[in-house]
Amino acid sequence: MIGPDIVIAPSILAADFANLAAEARAVEGAADWLHVDVMDNHFVPNLTIGPAVVASLRAATEIPFDCHLMIEDPKRWAPAYAELGAYNVTFHAEACADPVALARDLRAAGSKAGLALDRDTPVEPYLELLPHFDTLLIMTIKAGFGGQRFIPELLDKVRLARRHAKAGHLELRIEVDGGIADDTIAAAAEAGADAFVAGTAVYGADDPAEACRKLRALAAAAAR
Ligand code: DX5
Ligand code: ZN
């Protein structure tokens, strides 16, 4: 695997949007990626930020950006996030007719390519596409809002994808997103996830950097 064994990615959805630069800097050195949730009020009911704000934030911190696009028409909008310097750009399979072509566009624009599957989307139809992706994001809630309860049954998709990736010798990050906290991260790591998004568990804590370190230790102990 390229990069760290375990990726901890705090989600800005639980941060103070008036102080995003400071919130990003608060986890520098403790987090691997900053998970930037982009929502368009169409693919999901919620609305967050777009390329202009992400570009400004990109200039304000050293942390690699993991952009999670919960938007319609990612073919039109996703490459802009790669061009503004995101490390990884993940779009939803449910919103894209040709995921492999978009993965190719993202890599050509300079980022890693990620495929996200929402709560009700099975993983089986996408297994054959995984060689074209760097990241597979398995939602462990229904996409749209932070602070929801983790759904353990969704880890079956992580197990299946990890088995498939191992059998095919794929270098694939499997990322889990939703309800990841001290009491759930071990199960996700045991299932085969190696990248962990945490919003409430990091930015709801008194010390976000310390919360990242604790999550990492728990994931590392479970992955062993
Ligand atoms: C929700 C977002 C998540 C969210 C996770 O659709 O994709 O990244 O911020 O929040 P928590 O960690 O609070 O479940
Ligand atoms: Zn997310």
Side-chain angles (χ1 to χ4, degrees):
M1 179 63 63
I2 296 166
D5 291 348
I6 288 172
V7 165
I8 301 294
S11 161
I12 59 159
L13 195 59
D16 175 359
F17 272 64
N19 292 297
L20 283 181
E23 295 276 61
R25 284 190 215 110
V27 295
E28 271 178 13
D32 302 281
W33 299 349
L34 191 68
H35 185 81
V36 178
D37 284 304
V38 173
M39 304 182 179
D40 68 349
N41 179 229
H42 289 278
F43 181 75
V44 289
N46 205 353
L47 179 67
T48 57
I49 56 176
V53 177
V54 179
S56 295
L57 186 59
R58 177 63 290 187
T61 176
E62 297 292 313
I63 304 188
F65 280 10
D66 174 34
C67 290
H68 176 196
L69 307 183
M70 284 158 277
I71 62 171
E72 286 183 357
D73 203 3
K75 179 156 186 53
R76 176 167 174 199
W77 300 108
Y81 293 89
E83 284 157 17
L84 66 80
Y87 173 77
N88 180 71
V89 178
T90 291
F91 61 90
H92 270 264
E94 303 85 5
C96 187
D98 190 348
V100 172
L102 185 48
R104 214 174 283 132
D105 291 350
L106 289 170
R107 286 172 164 178
S111 74
K112 308 268 185 209
L115 183 71
L117 303 181
D118 205 352
R119 182 192 63 189
D120 300 328
T121 304
V123 69
E124 288 85 349
Y126 297 98
L127 292 174
E128 294 309 315
L129 310 190
L130 294 180
H132 301 276
F133 286 89
D134 303 288
T135 310
L136 174 68
L137 186 156
I138 304 282
M139 293 303 304
T140 39
I141 55 169
K142 169 94 179 136
F145 296 93
Q148 301 182 64
R149 193 198 299 255
F150 175 80
I151 306 170
E153 291 75 24
L154 298 178
L155 293 179
D156 288 346
K157 291 196 251 184
V158 174
R159 283 184 203 98
L160 189 59
R162 181 52 79 201
R163 262 206 311 276
H164 186 84
K166 268 194 185 146
H169 305 288
L170 303 180
E171 282 205 4
L172 182 73
R173 283 248 172 243
I174 301 183
E175 185 173 17
V176 281
D177 184 2
I180 298 297
D182 289 358
D183 58 345
T184 56
I185 195 167
E190 277 163 17
D194 59 359
F196 305 88
V197 177
T200 308
V202 170
Y203 283 112
D206 291 338
D207 182 341
E210 182 53 30
C212 290
R213 286 190 282 270
K214 179 144 191 236
L215 287 170
R216 184 189 307 283
L218 290 166
R224 229 169 262 141

